[in-house]
Every structure is written in structure tokens, then in C-alpha cells.
Amino acid sequence: MWSLPASEGESATAHFFLGAGDEGLGIRGIGMRTEESDSELLEDEEDEVPPEPQIIVGICAMTKKSKSKPMTQILERLCRFDYLTVIILGEDVILNEPVENWPSCHCLISFHSKGFPLDKAVAYSKLRNPFLINDLAMQYYIQDRREVYRILQEEGIDLPRYAVLNRDPARPEECNLIEGEDQVEVNGAVFPKPFVEKPVSAEDHNVYIYYPSSAGGGSQRLFRKIGSRSSVYSPESSVRKTGSYIYEEFMPTDGTDVKVYTVGPDYAHAEARKSPALDGKVERDSEGKEIRYPVMLTAMEKLVARKVCVAFKQTVCGFDLLRANGHSFVCDVNGFSFVKNSMKYYDDCAKILGNTIMRELAPQFQIPWSIPTEAEDIPIVPTTSGTMMELRCVIAIIRHGDRTPKQKMKMEVTHPRFFSLFEKHGGYKTGKLKLKRPEQLQEVLDITRLLLAELEKEPGGEIEEKTGKLEQLKSVLEMYGHFSGINRKVQLTYYPHEVKASNEGQDPQPKALGPSLLLVLKWGGELTPAGRVQAEELGRAFRCMYPGGQGDYAGFPGCGLLRLHSTFRHDLKIYASDEGRVQMTAAAFAKGLLALEGELTPILVQMVKSANMNGLLDSDGDSLSSCQHRVKARLHHILQQDAPFGPEDYDKLAPTGSTSLLNSMAVIQNPVKVCDQVFALIENLTHQIRERMQDPKSVDLQLYHSETLELMLQRWSKLERDFRQKSGRYDISKIPDIYDCVKYDVQHNASLGLQGTAELLRLSKALADVVIPQEYGISREEKLEIAVGFCLPLLRKILLDLQRTHEDEYSRGVLSPGRHVRTRLYFTSESHVHSLLSVFRYGGLLDETQDAQWQRALNYLSAISELNYMTQIVIMLYEDNTRDPLSEERFHVELHFSPGVKGVEEEGSAPTGYGFRPASSENEMKTDQGSMENLCPGKASDEPDRALQTSPQPSEGPGLPRRSPLIRNRKAGSMEVLSETSSSRPGGYRLFSSSRPPTEMKQSGLGSQCTGLFSTTVLGGSSSAPNLQDYARSHGKKLPSASLKHRDEFLFVPAVKRFSVSFAKHPTNGFEGCSMVPTIYPLETLHNALSLRQVSEFLSRVCQRHTEAQVQVSAALFDSMHSNQASNSPFSPPRTLHSPTLHLRQRSEKPPWCK
């Protein structure tokens, strides 16, 4: 700390202190101290002199504001700029000292609040003429709502319709008020209730909302928060009769207000809070803080934020948005406002303010500071050929995270009660019905209990439902004792003719009877805590695909993405299927990607789209196409043969020659014998669990995710019953479930020490590696047909995403506010990931005989045996602005893939790819300008400077002096590209370590700024994740940092004009050991030299081909429907059986989904 002594003409009683250096402020913080502590500080720091010259930044505000937590956090970070010195003017000085005695400063951050003498601040500004962060004269206008609305209107910003009632004797024409029972007329403008009445003074927070008599009348009275209240209801319905007010139309929002905080015209942070107009109760979290939700601003809202910031000349400015009727309206401008409790905002705000001050004042102080020209906001990246391209679009399709085992039971139902339920909930509209809500599941349970009771009375009655299936349905629905969460659901599918569905492993056979419903009960499949961690960590790592964000303010990788998102240059949308595990995965990923804080539920509600997507990411896996039925029947036939696989079997089962498939068949040899072994192991496992349940020590034993031994036995006993049928044949469709269960128990319940699980895992995985991929087609043609059937809407959406990016007009240049990166994230289930990958593999994207890279990619995919949790398919679109807009070389597409979470198989058994964005062979030895240099093998760890000197440096433009690579002792200058090697400094880090030899690393270096995250190591826990650190601390674990010690694998990335790289620490297996969370395989590049035209034409061709086939099938179905309609309509409800207590309404028309 530094004390500023009183200079000539300054009061000797006023003391001002500077911010801290690298050591931070500690507990004492920034602010005034006593004179005794001042002298102690001066004695202790007698020999220390701050670097010269210094730009003095003065903070002039009331103590409550200048020493608030947000201001303290931001000033701490601002002090990390080498040439900035911060002083805080004490409240006593501001109120009692003349401005001539105030210390001088070069930059002034001053803002009005209650009791602040704005006149004195204006006088000081005229006297000293500092650079103003927030204009002072405009702060007079911000205090008057009439002026605020006038300025907003002049800027063309949408406002609620309003009128001003000025009770000013000098202006009687503005004081005309006529009050009716349910409306007021203000100067000729009529406002029906509900309407809002605001005092013209912005300092008066007593805003009233008046309700119509039809809603009970009265008014809601809003005020500044007092404890946990922000408004109260009053029966008073008459408007106030004294004072001047603004009357405005009440905007019907969804119960939330959006608070926007700008830092300069190109940055804003948005949050939503519960509207105080709802019930006046302030929502607070466990720490007593008001709950706020993350919000993504639309393009128009981003433009509004820019306009507000510029119009009011307030760099740091907060304002309120109302979202209503598809539009956004500004209803208040608050001036200087900070976000509370957001570390990312503190980082960004300090960085932007520091850069703004340095950009303005560094030249006149002759400070050697290179102007970044907003480099980290421009997504320019080096390509594999050494040129620089702009990242324009990122599309990722991601499977959900680790889940509990899924369980399923099918049964055919024909009882009228089920048809009545089907009709009651609108099943005839589409022919399919999903029942998830507690009251719906209760209805199914009531029907089941009733049918079982009737079966007990009349065992030989007309009820056709099987007693065993009904008992199981009842048992599952009664689990847990209540319905809560999305852990069970019932699906009903209408069949015009009764279907034999009791044998789930066979092709359903229509029988010549009336209609029926296929009831599918599903339970389990919830996202586990490990799944949440996986998704959040992947989101955190995913940032590194976005350039920018130099410096280490946030202490974690990917600052570039975070600032790209906040500076309006990121157009992000997140989609998820309707499965709870998929939605929560998307929310956890978003939390990690955008460094959000708090629980997942508000993130899910605000940021993840999952409703009304017309099958974009959802698929009814129980309604199989005819092709799927044929494939399953053939697959089951081959795997029921009690003989070793012969050459014919290999031809029948693996016509594509998939390496993983051939390997699995070699392990299996005789499928029936292996199934015998699997069944015996399951019997042994259930026996062990029963024995463990008899052990008194295991009475209260809790397994992973709150499962009990009883529940564990239930799922294994069901598999034991279902796998081997009464005929002695095996139901092959249960193999994926068996593998699912044993994989879950080996990973999460290994502490039980059950015998035989390793062998069961090995055998069931071999079977599953055959069954699962081949259920999506055996031949290339079948795989493609089934794949497009699953993901046609998604293919069309991806094509639209790429085309929209291509068609956007960007004639204003890369620094224009409208220029952005489009990111579309699609979270879905295994079926969509399998299908999309099959489209790329078998759809004819490229001719592998003519393209060596594509041949290598297909070989790699062929060796992948499992698309595990968090599998990713990523498409990245780049634009080369140096190429002709009509040239095929203008847009460049890259295709990447990761098989997701690392399995429980032996280390080293998984295939390895060729790295993330590997260099093409002709460029492996090139070092073009702007390219990223690779490893310096053989360099000793104590020679970092020599490495920096020998690495080729790109030429820099005029006015951009080369940055020093040396580490500063006192401060970490935020605008410096640091190559830190010291491990003594907290938070110090090296670049990414590699699990590959240096020669292999060298081949994948170009354009891979996050090599350790994507191409050379397996993703693990990041020590930078706040929640993970907390977890480790609370469990007494230590996060290892082994990856920080590989000094012989130092990767240097030179500073490149208009391009910056996020340097980050990311220990690769740091969290795996203490939480049993498996790591994630890195992204591998399948192809990085595709043109946009190639990809667009390929997707269009696939979609068109399938659409034509669908038209032909629909026409044939339409003809058959009409030929049968005369005799017996297949779509009428079933005949009513003898059930006198229930009468079904007959339907004369066909369901609309059949028309």
C-alpha cells in the first residue's frame, strides 16, 4: 500500500491509498487508513518506489459505493496494470474540503448517489480536466426520469407508451389529469389499468402499479429493497394527488426484470431477477443474496445497450429491460452500476477500464504500451496452412453425461381405460403420448391397480393385459413412494391393428384384431453428479476453441470466449431434447462454458431451448421403422446361432469391415456360449447382492447416487428374468442394458467388491459393441437410411446454421458491432449421435480413395467401439477475408470428433487419432507468419528465455512494439503475453503438457492453441473450476498438478497482431481421483480442408434423397389407407369391452395425424 502525502495546497488530514500489486489487498482491502498505519506503511515500504511514470486514477464517490465489494474487486484488478495508480477520495474530503484541496488525478471515476455533491465533482472536473470514465454533466439528466425518457426517445430506443404529468404552476397545460374507475387520462392520453405511476425523480423509488377492478383493484407499491421485501399490495386504487409523475403502460413480462450492465459500448452483462411487482418477496439464496439468473441478450438488445451507453456518455452504466410481446423496452437508466458476485464481470470490467484509460492517456505520458485494438474480440485464428482466418460458426452435437442405468418395460394394452386416458391427454392428435407429470402417472397407476383388482376377482375374465406385466408396471410406479422429478415416464403409441409386442426382441407381428396401444414404461436414466461434472468441465474446456483472452485475470482457460460472449460478438443458442438428463447436461455445459454461477435449474430455464422443436433432437426409439425391424430381426437371428462365427457370419454381420466390430466378433466367437457365460455371471451377481443384503453390516449401506442394495438387486433381477426367455433363447435387445448396468457398477459401486464384474464387463461390452452400432443398420445403405430417419430435422438445421452464417452481410469490416461468431450447441441422446456420425461416414461426403485425410479419419472412426457419454461432433466454419466472396476458398469447414468419456476398459485400448487440427503434410515443416510454433524438444527447463529468443517471431505492424516475454516482478501487466515459468507465485502456470512424444506433437501444432485440451491429452478436471476446488477442499483432497511440471515440453506461442491466445493451467487428471469422474477423450480432427460448398451440397443431397423416399412411402401408405377405409377404418377407437362403469365417446373422424 502507498500513502499519498499532502502536497502543496492539499489538506494534511486527507490520506489516499493506492491499490495493491500482485500480492492483492488481503483482508484490509483498498481505502483510507489511520495516520499511524500510514507511517508504518511508509517505513516498511521506504525502499519501494512505484514504476514511473504513473497514471493516477481517482475514485470520487460516497464511501458506501467506493468501498463496496464490487468496487473493491474491480480496483484490485485495475491495480495490476503496471502504469495505473488508484487513489480513493474519502467521503470527508469530498463533503468538507474545497475542490482545490482535492488531490489531482489524470483519470476520474466519479458518480452520483444519495448525498453525493455532484456540483463539486463537476467543479473539480473543470479545475483539473481529468479524463472522465462517466460524464458528470449527463448525471444530472439521469436523476430526472423525464429527461431519461426524452433521451431514449431521441435515440430511437423502444419505451413503454407514457405521458408526463407535471404539477408545475408555470406549466398548467401539462397538469391535466382525469381519473376514472379503471383508467386515467393524462394530458389527453388514456391509460387503462393496469398502468404504472413513477415519480419524475429517479431518486424516488416509490413506483405504484394500479390494477383494474375486474382483477380486484388496488395497487402494488414498489420501493427500494428493505430486508426481503421490495413491494407491498395496497387496496388503494386512486392515483396520488401531489407531485409530478410519469404514467406508462404496464408491460406484461414473464415475471422477471432484465438488468443490463455495460462497460463501454461493446460490452454488457445481463441478469434477470424476479420482478418486484409479482409478490414483493425478494428471492434469496442460502447466503442471503438476491437470486439472479443468467440472460442472453438478443441482437437488438445488444444494440440498445450500445445506444444507452453512448447516449448518456456513461462507460459504466446499468439499465432495466422489460421483455414483453416479443419486444424489449427500456424502462429505467440507473447510471453507474456494478454487477454483484460475478468474478468474470470483475475481470472484464477492470480489463476494459484499464485498456480504455491506457488507450486515452498512455500516449501523452510516453508510456510504452501497445494498443490492443480490441484484438481479443476478433476471432482471428491461424489455419493449418499458416494463413489467418476468422472463426464464424461453431456447431456441436453432444451426447448427455453419465447417467444411472436406463430401464424399460413394454406391454400391449387394449383395455378401454387406457384408450380413455390416451384420448383425454390428446393422444389421437399425433398417435403418440408421453406421460411425465405426477398426476398423469397417478392416473396410469390407478388404472393398473384397478385392472389387477379385477383380475383377482375374475382370473378368466376378458382383460387381456398380462398379470405379470401389470404387476411390474405397478411396482415401478410405486417406487420411492411418490412422484417427483423426471425419473419415470409412460409412453403410449397407437396401433391400428393389434401388435404382438410381448416378445421385445422380435419383429412385432400384426394380428387381424382391433386397435391397441403399445405402453412403454421407462425409469432410471437420471444424470449423475459425475455427469454434471463431466458436462461442466467439457464446457469449460470448450472455450479454448475460441481465440482471444490473453492474460490471466480469471485464472482459467478460454477468457476469449467469455469476452467474445459479453462483447456482443457471440450469437449462442443451446438446444436440448426433452429428456431430463439431456437438459441438465446442457445446463451444466452452459455453466462451464460461460463461467456462470449458481444452480443448474435457472440456467436451464433461461438458456436451454427444449420445447416445440418438432423432433429436432427427440426420437421415439420405440416406434421403429420397417428398416429397423428388418435389421433387428436379422441381427437377432445371427446372434442366436450356437456355433462359432464363420466367414459368412462376418460378411452378414460386418459388411462394412468395421475394425471395432471385427475385434468384438473375435472376442465373442460363439454368441450363444458368451450369452450363457453372461447369464451365469448375472445369476452369480444377484446371489452376491442377496447375500450382502443378509449381512447386518449392510443394512444401511448407501450406494452411489443414493441407490440401495434393494434397488440394485431389482434392476439386476429384472435383467436376469428378461435376458433368458422361457424358450431358453436369449433376448439380444437386453445386451445394451446389461452392459449399461455393469459399466455403472464397476465405475460407481466398485467399493462393494462384487466378484465377476470385470469378466461380465468384458463379455457384455464385446456383445454390446456388436449389437448397439448394428441396431442402426448393418449394411452401409441401411445405416444411412436409419440414420437420416433419426436425424433429418437436425441435418436440415445444421445446413441452415451454415447457410445463415454464409449469407450474413459483413461489409462493414471485422470491427463492426454486428460481426459475430455463431455458436449452436445441440444436446441429445445416443441415437442422434450414432445417426449423425453414420451420415458423415456413409453418406458420401468425400471419396476416401481420393482423400488420404478422410481415409485416415474413417479408419479412426472404424476403430471406435463406443460413443460414450459426452461424445462430441463439432463443425467449425472459418472465413478467409482475403479471398473473393464468391470463391469456394472463401469459407473453410473443419469436422472434429471425440468419443466422449473414457471407458473403464484397459488403458491404451482406445484408438488414437491424428490430433486436433493437424498440419497438412505440405505444411508440417513451414513456419509462416502468424502460425503457432511448436515444441522445442531438448530444451532444459532453466532456459525459457533462450527458447523465446530462438522461436521465430512474426513481423509486427507499426505502433505495435514487440512485447517482452520476461516475467514482471511486481505486477502481471494484463496486456502482456506472459510465458510464466515460476511455480512459486500462486496461480502461476505453464502451457499444456503433452502425453505424446515431441515429434508427434510437432505434427499437430499449427493452429492448436489448446493442444493439451484437445489433441494431445485426455480432458480432466480443471483446477481453475471454483466448484471443483471447493469439492476437493471439503473432501480433504489435493488437486495434483503433475501436468505443470513437464518443462521439457514447453510450447511457445508468439504474439500475433490482432490475435491473442489464452494461456491457461489445466492439470489433466486433477479431479478424476477424488470424485470418480472419468476423463474425456480429446477432440480429434476428421477433416480440416473442406469447403462450405462441399458440406452444404452434401447435406442438401442427403436431405433431398430422404425426403423423396418419404414421399414415396407416404403415397403408398395413403393408397392402402383408402383401400381399407370403406370396410373398416383402422383409425377408429377399439370396441368397448364389458365395462359398465366406463363409456367411451365414439370418434367419427380420423385422428389428424393420420390425414
Side-chain angles (χ1 to χ4, degrees):
M1 296 283 184
W2 285 88
S3 172
L4 188 69
S7 58
E8 265 185 68
E10 292 180 357
S11 170
T13 61
H15 299 280
F16 309 99
F17 295 84
L18 310 189
D22 281 346
E23 70 277 11
L25 295 172
I27 300 173
R28 302 175 71 182
I30 299 176
M32 297 183 66
R33 299 286 182 261
T34 62
E35 290 191 38
E36 290 77 16
S37 64
D38 298 347
S39 58
E40 290 170 12
L41 285 169
L42 285 173
E43 288 173 12
D44 294 340
E45 303 182 359
E46 201 169 18
D47 299 329
E48 278 195 49
V49 179
E52 295 293 342
Q54 286 289 299
I55 296 173
I56 308 298
V57 180
I59 311 298
C60 179
M62 302 301 281
T63 300
K64 184 178 179 182
K65 299 291 184 182
S66 62
K67 293 188 179 180
S68 65
K69 179 186 174 183
M71 179 66 90
T72 302
Q73 292 279 350
I74 290 165
L75 293 183
E76 284 179 1
R77 291 158 170 80
L78 197 60
C79 289
R80 298 180 190 175
F81 282 80
D82 282 326
Y83 300 100
L84 296 185
T85 296
V86 176
I87 64 173
I88 299 178
L89 280 70
E91 193 170 296
D92 181 60
V93 173
I94 295 172
L95 295 176
N96 302 321
E97 291 288 335
V99 293
E100 291 78 12
N101 291 353
W102 291 10
S104 62
C105 63
H106 308 114
C107 173
L108 182 66
I109 300 177
S110 180
F111 51 94
H112 179 268
S113 62
K114 187 175 181 181
F116 181 78
L118 184 57
D119 292 344
K120 291 181 72 174
V122 171
Y124 174 80
S125 172
K126 291 178 179 177
L127 176 68
R128 303 290 188 187
N129 195 29
F131 169 56
L132 296 177
I133 292 295
N134 277 30
D135 186 83
L136 292 171
M138 289 299 294
Q139 294 183 30
Y140 288 110
Y141 293 110
I142 293 175
Q143 295 177 53
D144 189 327
R145 287 193 172 100
R146 292 167 296 191
E147 292 299 316
V148 168
Y149 275 33
R150 177 184 63 79
I151 295 170
L152 291 173
Q153 212 162 21
E154 288 175 356
E155 293 297 322
I157 296 171
D158 286 341
L159 296 164
R161 185 175 66 90
Y162 76 99
V164 179
L165 180 73
N166 278 319
R167 285 196 170 99
D168 184 350
R171 293 187 285 183
E173 71 281 358
E174 297 180 8
C175 189
N176 297 316
L177 174 70
I178 302 173
E179 185 175 10
E181 182 182 4
D182 274 334
Q183 68 177 40
V184 290
E185 183 179 327
V186 181
N187 300 325
V190 177
F191 293 88
K193 293 180 180 179
F195 59 78
V196 184
E197 179 186 62
K198 296 179 177 179
V200 295
S201 170
E203 297 299 300
D204 189 341
H205 297 276
N206 295 292
V207 175
Y208 292 3
I209 301 170
Y210 295 91
Y211 300 126
S213 56
S214 60
S219 57
Q220 192 79 16
R221 304 193 168 190
L222 282 61
F223 45 81
R224 187 177 284 278
K225 285 193 293 283
I226 301 175
S228 290
R229 303 285 321 169
S230 59
S231 73
V232 294
Y233 175 78
S234 167
E236 180 58 57
S237 295
S238 297
V239 299
R240 288 172 277 190
K241 300 301 188 292
T242 57
S244 297
Y245 300 95
I246 291 177
Y247 290 88
E248 67 182 47
E249 190 177 9
F250 178 78
M251 309 304 295
T253 66
D254 59 358
T256 58
D257 289 346
V258 178
K259 315 286 284 186
V260 183
Y261 303 86
T262 72
V263 187
D266 294 320
Y267 181 98
H269 177 101
E271 296 178 338
R273 65 167 186 183
K274 180 177 142 188
S275 172
L278 280 180
D279 58 3
K281 181 77 166 61
V282 178
E283 288 185 326
R284 297 189 183 275
D285 60 17
S286 58
E287 297 180 1
K289 298 170 183 173
E290 183 179 14
I291 295 175
R292 299 201 172 188
Y293 309 119
V295 168
M296 286 188 290
L297 297 176
T298 66
M300 287 303 297
E301 289 169 341
K302 293 170 183 178
L303 184 59
V304 167
R306 183 183 183 86
K307 285 183 176 181
V308 169
C309 180
V310 172
F312 289 89
K313 300 179 183 177
Q314 306 292 296
T315 300
V316 180
C317 186
F319 65 94
D320 296 350
L321 275 177
L322 296 177
R323 288 174 166 175
N325 305 321
H327 295 279
S328 297
F329 304 87
V330 176
C331 63
D332 198 9
V333 176
N334 307 309
F336 197 99
S337 301
F338 279 143
V339 177
K340 300 178 180 67
N341 307 311
S342 172
M343 293 297 136
K344 183 181 82 70
Y345 173 82
Y346 300 152
D347 294 342
D348 292 347
C349 184
K351 185 180 181 76
I352 294 169
L353 288 178
N355 289 343
T356 302
I357 295 166
M358 294 298 290
R359 187 180 295 116
E360 180 71 22
L361 299 178
Q364 55 187 276
F365 282 82
Q366 287 81 46
I367 292 175
W369 183 80
S370 57
I371 301 174
T373 63
E374 304 182 36
E376 59 254 350
D377 295 341
I378 307 169
I380 301 292
V381 295
T383 64
T384 54
S385 60
T387 59
M388 304 297 286
M389 283 194 185
E390 180 185 358
L391 178 63
R392 293 296 309 280
C393 182
V394 177
I395 300 169
I397 299 86
I398 304 172
R399 191 187 172 194
H400 59 75
D402 181 75
R403 55 161 172 75
T404 60
K406 283 196 306 182
Q407 300 182 72
K408 179 168 66 176
M409 187 270 293
K410 293 183 183 180
M411 64 182 293
E412 184 187 13
V413 294
T414 56
H415 196 278
R417 294 184 185 276
F418 285 110
F419 280 96
S420 177
L421 179 70
F422 189 70
E423 184 173 20
K424 174 183 175 182
H425 293 288
Y428 284 109
K429 293 178 182 176
T430 60
K432 298 173 185 177
L433 181 64
K434 285 185 182 179
L435 304 174
K436 289 185 177 181
R437 296 199 300 272
E439 62 270 18
Q440 295 174 331
L441 295 176
Q442 185 64 53
E443 290 180 79
V444 177
L445 179 58
D446 291 343
I447 293 173
T448 306
R449 287 170 173 167
L450 185 65
L451 293 183
L452 284 170
E454 290 181 10
L455 280 170
E456 283 184 12
K457 294 177 184 176
E458 300 181 48
E462 296 190 14
I463 297 176
E464 298 183 16
E465 281 72 18
K466 292 189 176 180
T467 306
K469 294 279 187 180
L470 288 173
E471 289 282 4
Q472 191 169 4
L473 179 61
K474 173 175 174 289
S475 174
V476 172
L477 290 177
E478 288 178 343
M479 272 172 26
Y480 313 120
H482 64 283
F483 298 113
S484 65
I486 309 175
N487 50 23
R488 283 162 290 187
K489 70 177 177 181
V490 171
Q491 294 175 331
L492 292 169
T493 304
Y494 180 85
Y495 281 94
H497 298 289
E498 198 166 328
V499 175
K500 185 180 179 182
S502 59
N503 188 348
E504 299 170 28
Q506 295 181 359
D507 189 4
Q509 299 294 324
K511 297 188 291 186
L513 294 174
S516 67
L517 295 171
L518 178 64
L519 184 150
V520 182
L521 172 67
K522 295 182 177 181
W523 69 101
E526 301 169 67
L527 190 69
T528 64
R532 293 188 180 197
V533 172
Q534 289 164 356
E536 191 172 337
E537 281 299 285
L538 184 62
R540 199 171 276 115
F542 212 77
R543 303 178 200 153
C544 289
M545 288 199 297
Y546 298 80
Q550 60 198 39
D552 65 331
Y553 272 106
F556 46 62
C559 304
L561 179 274
L562 301 179
R563 297 198 174 95
L564 183 76
H565 186 70
S566 295
T567 53
F568 314 153
R569 299 179 186 277
H570 192 207
D571 174 15
L572 170 67
K573 285 188 173 59
I574 302 172
Y575 300 88
S577 68
D578 71 346
E579 297 286 354
R581 58 181 171 272
V582 179
Q583 295 179 5
M584 296 308 288
T585 298
F589 185 95
K591 180 178 181 180
L593 180 72
L594 300 176
L596 303 175
E597 297 169 18
E599 295 300 314
L600 295 186
T601 300
I603 298 173
L604 173 62
V605 171
Q606 294 282 336
M607 308 192 78
V608 179
K609 301 174 186 294
S610 60
N612 304 317
M613 292 195 298
N614 299 319
L616 179 68
L617 297 169
D618 296 295
S619 58
D620 188 358
D622 301 298
S623 299
L624 305 181
S625 68
S626 59
C627 181
Q628 286 172 279
H629 282 306
R630 291 195 307 271
V631 165
K632 280 198 170 187
R634 199 157 82 250
L635 183 61
H636 287 211
H637 173 72
I638 296 171
L639 294 179
Q640 294 287 3
Q641 297 178 3
D642 188 3
F645 285 131
E648 289 186 3
D649 296 314
Y650 278 90
D651 292 340
K652 289 179 182 177
L653 197 54
T656 60
S658 169
T659 305
S660 63
L661 196 58
L662 297 175
N663 291 341
S664 297
M665 291 178 70
V667 172
I668 295 168
Q669 295 186 354
N670 185 321
V672 173
K673 296 296 184 196
V674 172
C675 287
D676 288 339
Q677 295 178 57
V678 167
F679 183 72
L681 287 166
I682 294 175
E683 284 185 316
N684 178 47
L685 189 59
T686 55
H687 176 70
Q688 290 182 68
I689 298 172
R690 288 190 181 95
E691 284 188 337
R692 191 64 60 88
M693 290 173 65
Q694 301 301 319
D695 186 350
K697 297 178 183 178
S698 304
V699 173
D700 298 321
L701 184 64
Q702 283 283 320
L703 306 181
Y704 184 72
H705 203 40
S706 302
E707 190 180 33
T708 62
L709 281 172
E710 184 179 4
L711 290 174
M712 185 184 189
L713 179 62
Q714 281 182 17
R715 59 180 165 90
W716 278 112
S717 297
K718 181 181 184 303
L719 287 173
E720 184 182 358
R721 288 192 307 271
D722 295 346
F723 184 43
R724 188 158 73 179
Q725 301 164 345
K726 293 179 181 178
S727 63
R729 292 164 64 89
Y730 289 104
D731 183 355
I732 303 302
S733 68
K734 296 300 175 188
I735 287 173
D737 298 336
I738 294 170
Y739 174 58
D740 199 23
C741 271
V742 71
K743 181 172 71 169
Y744 179 84
D745 286 331
V746 167
Q747 179 181 324
H748 296 298
N749 293 320
S751 58
L752 283 177
L754 298 173
Q755 300 297 314
T757 52
E759 181 66 6
L760 179 57
L761 175 70
R762 186 183 72 86
L763 295 176
S764 62
K765 175 170 172 53
L767 288 168
D769 288 346
V770 172
V771 172
I772 293 173
Q774 298 309 82
E775 281 184 339
Y776 296 97
I778 296 176
S779 68
R780 294 172 65 99
E781 294 75 18
E782 289 168 341
K783 285 182 181 291
L784 188 59
E785 180 181 341
I786 292 172
V788 178
F790 267 109
C791 64
L792 181 64
L794 180 58
L795 289 171
R796 288 174 173 157
K797 182 67 169 61
I798 291 171
L799 178 61
L800 193 63
D801 292 337
L802 292 170
Q803 288 176 340
R804 280 184 175 167
T805 305
H806 166 57
E807 292 164 2
D808 284 344
E809 182 59 46
Y810 288 100
S811 58
R812 291 169 291 176
V814 294
L815 282 176
S816 66
R819 201 171 188 85
H820 60 262
V821 177
R822 184 191 303 273
T823 299
R824 296 293 181 266
L825 304 175
Y826 301 96
F827 290 85
T828 185
S829 56
E830 186 179 21
S831 60
H832 271 71
V833 176
H834 264 288
S835 301
L836 186 60
L837 200 59
S838 291
V839 168
F840 284 114
R841 288 178 70 180
Y842 305 113
L845 172 61
L846 293 167
D847 182 357
E848 60 267 28
T849 62
Q850 304 295 320
D851 192 310
Q853 188 181 18
W854 189 238
Q855 180 65 64
R856 290 196 299 268
L858 293 181
N859 292 340
Y860 165 66
L861 292 175
S862 174
I864 297 292
S865 62
E866 180 181 6
L867 303 185
N868 211 341
Y869 306 126
M870 305 309 302
T871 292
Q872 311 134 55
I873 301 171
V874 180
I875 303 168
M876 302 178 75
L877 174 66
Y878 299 87
E879 181 177 1
D880 187 347
N881 294 289
T882 64
R883 301 287 182 175
D884 185 279
L886 301 178
S887 167
E888 190 173 337
E889 298 176 344
R890 174 82 176 192
F891 289 93
H892 169 90
V893 177
E894 294 181 355
L895 183 61
H896 311 288
F897 167 78
S898 164
V901 172
K902 185 178 179 181
V904 288
E905 65 272 7
E906 298 85 4
E907 186 69 34
S909 62
T912 56
Y914 291 85
F916 181 68
R917 308 188 71 216
S920 54
S921 56
E922 65 270 17
N923 291 303
E924 283 178 6
M925 305 305 294
K926 277 174 72 172
T927 53
D928 292 338
Q929 283 188 7
S931 66
M932 300 173 63
E933 301 306 316
N934 301 293
L935 288 173
C936 305
K939 182 182 69 63
S941 60
D942 59 350
E943 295 181 301
D945 295 344
R946 186 181 304 173
L948 302 179
Q949 293 161 7
T950 58
S951 297
Q953 295 285 332
S955 60
E956 309 236 7
L960 285 173
R962 185 165 299 161
R963 298 167 184 158
S964 168
L966 300 178
I967 302 170
R968 292 188 177 271
N969 293 325
R970 272 197 92 240
K971 295 186 177 183
S974 67
M975 297 314 301
E976 311 238 9
V977 177
L978 300 180
S979 54
E980 301 189 13
T981 56
S982 171
S983 59
S984 61
R985 175 175 176 263
Y989 50 81
R990 301 183 63 83
L991 288 180
F992 313 105
S993 64
S994 168
S995 62
R996 297 184 181 179
T999 54
E1000 189 171 352
M1001 184 76 164
K1002 187 169 261 187
Q1003 294 177 355
S1004 60
L1006 289 176
S1008 180
Q1009 66 268 33
C1010 284
T1011 311
L1013 287 173
F1014 293 98
S1015 64
T1016 60
T1017 58
V1018 176
L1019 288 180
S1022 166
S1023 67
S1024 62
N1027 58 330
L1028 303 187
Q1029 297 250 38
D1030 294 342
Y1031 182 97
R1033 279 195 295 271
S1034 64
H1035 289 73
K1037 305 290 183 180
K1038 184 176 180 181
L1039 297 177
S1041 56
S1043 65
L1044 307 183
K1045 299 175 183 176
H1046 299 284
R1047 297 178 181 267
D1048 59 328
E1049 295 173 346
F1050 184 78
L1051 176 66
F1052 172 68
V1053 185
V1056 179
K1057 182 181 178 183
R1058 301 179 69 174
F1059 171 63
S1060 56
V1061 176
S1062 171
F1063 287 63
K1065 52 185 175 182
H1066 197 97
T1068 61
N1069 297 319
F1071 197 58
E1072 183 179 11
C1074 64
S1075 70
M1076 304 304 292
V1077 179
T1079 50
I1080 298 174
Y1081 282 116
L1083 274 176
E1084 301 282 356
T1085 296
L1086 301 182
H1087 209 285
N1088 58 4
L1090 297 165
S1091 71
L1092 177 60
R1093 186 180 65 82
Q1094 275 180 299
V1095 178
S1096 297
E1097 288 181 355
F1098 164 71
L1099 293 174
S1100 300
R1101 189 168 62 248
V1102 171
C1103 295
Q1104 181 64 28
R1105 194 163 56 211
H1106 187 81
T1107 303
E1108 291 172 355
Q1110 276 188 323
V1111 170
Q1112 294 175 2
V1113 172
S1114 300
L1117 179 62
F1118 183 79
D1119 293 340
S1120 66
M1121 282 166 43
H1122 279 272
S1123 63
N1124 294 330
Q1125 191 171 1
S1127 57
N1128 181 23
S1129 174
F1131 304 104
S1132 57
R1135 299 183 307 277
T1136 303
L1137 302 179
H1138 297 291
S1139 181
T1141 60
L1142 183 68
H1143 300 282
L1144 292 180
R1145 179 171 60 85
Q1146 295 296 322
R1147 296 172 60 89
S1148 58
E1149 75 281 0
K1150 290 186 298 182
W1153 50 271
C1154 297
K1155 294 179 180 177

